[in-house]
Amino acid sequence: MKIRTFIATASLVASGSLVAFSGSAQATLYTTCVGDGGAVTVSNDLVVPAGKSCTLTGTKVKGTVTVEAGADLMAAGATFNGAVTVEENAYLDLTDTTVKGALSTNSAFGAHLKKSNLKEVDATEGFVYALDSTLGGNISTEAGELYVSGSTLSGSLAGDGNRYSDVYDTTVKGALTVNGNTLGGVFCASEVYGGAKYAGNADNLQLGGGGLLGSCAGASYFGGDLAVTDNTAKAVLDNAIVRGGLTATGNDPVLVVGELARIRGAVTGETAVGASSSRSAKKATPQDRGADLAEKAAARAAAARADAHEAGRSRL
């Protein structure tokens, strides 16, 4: 009897149908997705099996969503009522999609979020690439790549031990923390209303203004205190208003404050006066890391769509 149950379950998983595992309390139900899924409602949890690809268009999932190791999930115009989990080397691509639960990734290839609404994001390794999206909670990333553009965050934004943490044309209503990034970070034409802290970063920090890490035509706003401390990065603050105080201690080289920076509160620590970074930026070709990340995401997405199309329609 046990052998028959196992064979039946394996068959259901392979076909992309509803799967039930019996336990002491009650059966756990989930639906697998392999291939292309349309505008249907999945009343339980959804799983993209390891190494497989799934596309969803206009799909509603009432339960949780899991993208297993090495799998790909592409969703457009979808609604996920529960949490979304992206496992090792898996990929998530959301366009015009709402996620009402938390999004978490662990050693994933990455998450591309475009014109989507999410509750919060917690990522360890891999990239988080958010464009024109709205987040009702916090974004927390560790040991990966963080790039946010044209978005609004109701909570805080944190990049801890990333390669870089870049923020363009974005409003952060909570705090901003960028700590221990090996390639520094950018804060461009953006607003943060909580305190902001850049600590222990290397390479380059571009806080407002233009520079080698990216062109930046608009001004930036720090609504609270700004702390730039213990960095080995070449750090420049320019074309920005700091509503609170500025702390600049332990930096080597020291923080350069451009002529277009306005600091309303007290300045603590050592700074150097520099010409506007916007002028020097015109002499060099800016290296906006978003272009490289977009190419990386597009290549994985194209392969995922091809795999899903080859698998045919998913039996949701």
Side-chain angles (χ1 to χ4, degrees):
M1 193 67 179
K2 291 182 179 179
I3 295 177
R4 291 180 182 177
T5 301
F6 173 78
I7 293 174
T9 300
S11 175
L12 287 172
V13 173
S15 66
S17 301
L18 185 66
V19 179
F21 287 107
S22 297
S24 58
Q26 60 182 14
T28 299
L29 301 176
Y30 68 85
T31 299
T32 63
C33 179
V34 178
D36 297 320
V40 299
T41 296
V42 178
S43 60
N44 42 45
D45 297 343
L46 180 75
V47 174
V48 184
K52 302 298 183 179
S53 295
C54 166
T55 68
L56 298 175
T57 303
T59 309
K60 181 176 181 179
V61 180
K62 291 186 176 181
T64 64
V65 175
T66 301
V67 187
E68 293 187 338
D72 303 289
L73 174 59
M74 317 284 295
T79 300
F80 302 147
N81 285 350
V84 177
T85 301
V86 185
E87 298 181 352
E88 184 177 1
N89 195 36
Y91 176 62
L92 178 70
D93 194 299
L94 304 180
T95 301
D96 293 318
T97 291
T98 297
V99 180
K100 297 181 180 180
L103 166 61
S104 60
T105 74
N106 188 11
S107 300
F109 179 80
H112 179 207
L113 316 172
K114 184 177 181 181
K115 296 181 180 179
S116 293
N117 293 277
L118 295 95
K119 182 179 179 181
E120 61 184 62
V121 177
D122 186 4
T124 302
E125 298 186 23
F127 67 79
V128 173
Y129 183 31
L131 300 174
D132 304 324
S133 293
T134 301
L135 291 105
N138 304 327
I139 291 184
S140 177
T141 63
E142 182 178 356
E145 298 163 290
L146 174 63
Y147 190 99
V148 182
S149 178
S151 299
T152 300
L153 284 70
S154 295
S156 63
L157 178 64
D160 188 13
N162 287 339
R163 291 187 65 214
Y164 57 83
S165 299
D166 292 352
V167 181
Y168 287 85
D169 189 26
T170 289
T171 297
V172 180
K173 296 181 180 179
L176 170 67
T177 304
V178 177
N179 179 63
N181 284 224
T182 57
L183 297 179
V186 175
F187 190 81
C188 166
S190 296
E191 304 172 10
V192 54
Y193 287 90
K197 182 178 181 180
Y198 286 81
N201 300 288
D203 200 56
N204 287 278
L205 287 175
Q206 180 183 318
L207 310 182
L212 293 178
L213 295 180
S215 59
C216 187
S220 293
Y221 179 77
F222 295 88
D225 294 332
L226 171 62
V228 184
T229 60
D230 301 318
N231 298 286
T232 59
K234 297 177 182 178
V236 177
L237 171 66
D238 197 17
N239 198 16
I241 295 174
V242 180
R243 188 70 179 84
L246 170 65
T247 300
T249 57
N251 299 303
D252 185 14
V254 299
L255 172 67
V256 174
V257 178
E259 60 190 19
L260 297 180
R262 299 291 182 267
I263 302 166
R264 305 304 189 198
V267 177
T268 303
E270 185 179 4
T271 62
V273 178
S276 172
S277 59
S278 299
R279 297 177 185 175
S280 60
K282 296 177 182 178
K283 300 178 181 179
T285 302
Q287 299 173 359
D288 186 340
R289 291 181 283 226
D292 291 337
L293 204 54
E295 183 178 350
K296 183 178 179 180
R300 178 72 178 245
R305 288 192 184 96
D307 288 345
H309 182 70
E310 184 178 354
R313 287 198 61 79
S314 180
R315 296 170 59 183
L316 298 179

